[in-house]
Amino acid sequence: MIRRENPARVAEIVGAVARTPAADVDAVVRAADADFRRWAATPVDARLALLDRGAAAIEGAVGELSVLLSRETGKVLGDCRGELGFAVRYLRWVVENAPIAYADREVDDELGRLIRQHKPYGVVAAITPWNAPVILAVLKIAPALAAGNAVVVKPSPLAPLTLDRVAALIGGPLRVVHGDSATGAALVGHDLVRKVAFTGGAAGGRAVAALAGDRLTPAVLELGGNDPAVFLDDAPFDDAAMDRLVMATFATSGQVCMAAKRLYVPAARLPDFVDAYLAAASRVLVTGDPLADGVTMGPVISAAARRAAGALRTGDCRDLGRFDADEEAGYFVRPALVVSPDPRDPLVSAEQFAPVVPVLGYHDEDAVLAAANEGELGLGASVWSADEERAVAFARRFEAGFAFVNTHNRTGMSLRAPFGGVKRSGWGREYAAEGLAEYAQTCVIHAPAAYRPGAGIPAGGPAAYPV
């Protein structure tokens, strides 16, 4: 069994799920493959009706599920409600948009007849993390099922409980396996898995990519980020912007791939920025029991995460917000802003995934752009300015898959905007039409006009290559 403790009260076991030994994964995937044969032949309206019913079922259980999600992850209750609500919204968005995305495209003209079909892959393996376990699974499950695939999802053992319940509410050709990396490897490496979708860290991404590549299995990888937030010299430090930035940094205790993780401010304005940031934190940041009213930040996920966060609290470290947590009961970390650390410090050069963030002064826009683009990660980035055109011009030069303007993290997301990284932050996209397209293969039927009955082929025969 996998037993999950409450990160806010580690003596409390929230629940347990049955572990799937690696040797048992074969039977699960073979059953999913049989599901796929039936599901792919099911009319698309019936497939979408299943997703619509799943959305309604999740919506009806949001109150109960959000408490469970908060207890197993340490995320604050409002965040958990938001995640479940967004999962419902995305399911319904897929129901609305999948008929367009997966419809056949046909052209019949003087060149002939060309049909583009969108066919499912087969069994899709989805490997999901603990920090947003429901939405990051639904982003894979919903388009995969809509396109006619079967899905086997493996949640993180740090957050298996709520996703197990959500998968049961969706139903259909959707199966869940629970376990560690050995279970995941057995799933990703199975010969009947035809597509892999993974969200997680670099080490897991490399392992998944190697296994999938060895079998020539296509994959979608959404990996980590070390997102810079660059304030231009005209950026306002008003309350609304600073409140937005603080929560873009510390939502889910900073354990978000697209959180603002490096703050860059003109050196001449750095003292004013620090004052504004501290004031915003005092307004919006309250660390404590994630189920308590008014709390906006809970614990980190584990003892190891707490130790790693503590190691980042060096130099000019300013504690932030109000701290109402019982440090003896759970994995709580005091959120902090570190002012002007060495750019080579791991706090700056590597993804923190912790409630500690650096702020650095800069003197030149070209230099700060180079600093923002430095490193092997390129998930998100943001630029802040009173002039939107100037901000957009700067954002065009980011080496990032998603650039925000005057916001960062969840407040800048949109269902119509494809999300994913560049460089070693992964490949493939989620959300938008591009996210739907990841789960269907384009297959072609082509009847060239030259070979139609009665068309007549020139004496010399057709050209060797089309024109």
Side-chain angles (χ1 to χ4, degrees), residues 25 63 148 170 196 205 213 216 231 236 239 248 270 279 283 285 291 307 318 345 352 354 425 436:
V25 170
I170 294 173
V196 174
L216 299 179
F231 284 75
D239 290 356
L270 183 57
R283 290 190 297 269
L285 202 56
L291 291 174
R307 288 192 297 272
R318 316 283 184 92
D345 190 295
Q352 314 105 14
S425 284
L436 296 177

Side-chain angles (χ1 to χ4, degrees), residues 249-250 263 277-278 281 285 287 297 309 312-314 316-321 333-339 347 352 354-359:
T249 304
F250 294 108
L263 314 180
Y277 196 88
L278 293 173
L285 202 56
T287 304
M297 198 186 98
L312 298 171
R313 294 172 52 88
T314 59
D316 186 0
C317 183
R318 316 283 184 92
D319 287 339
L320 300 172
V333 175
R334 293 177 182 270
L337 177 72
V338 179
V339 181
L347 176 64
Q352 314 105 14
V356 186
V357 66
V359 59

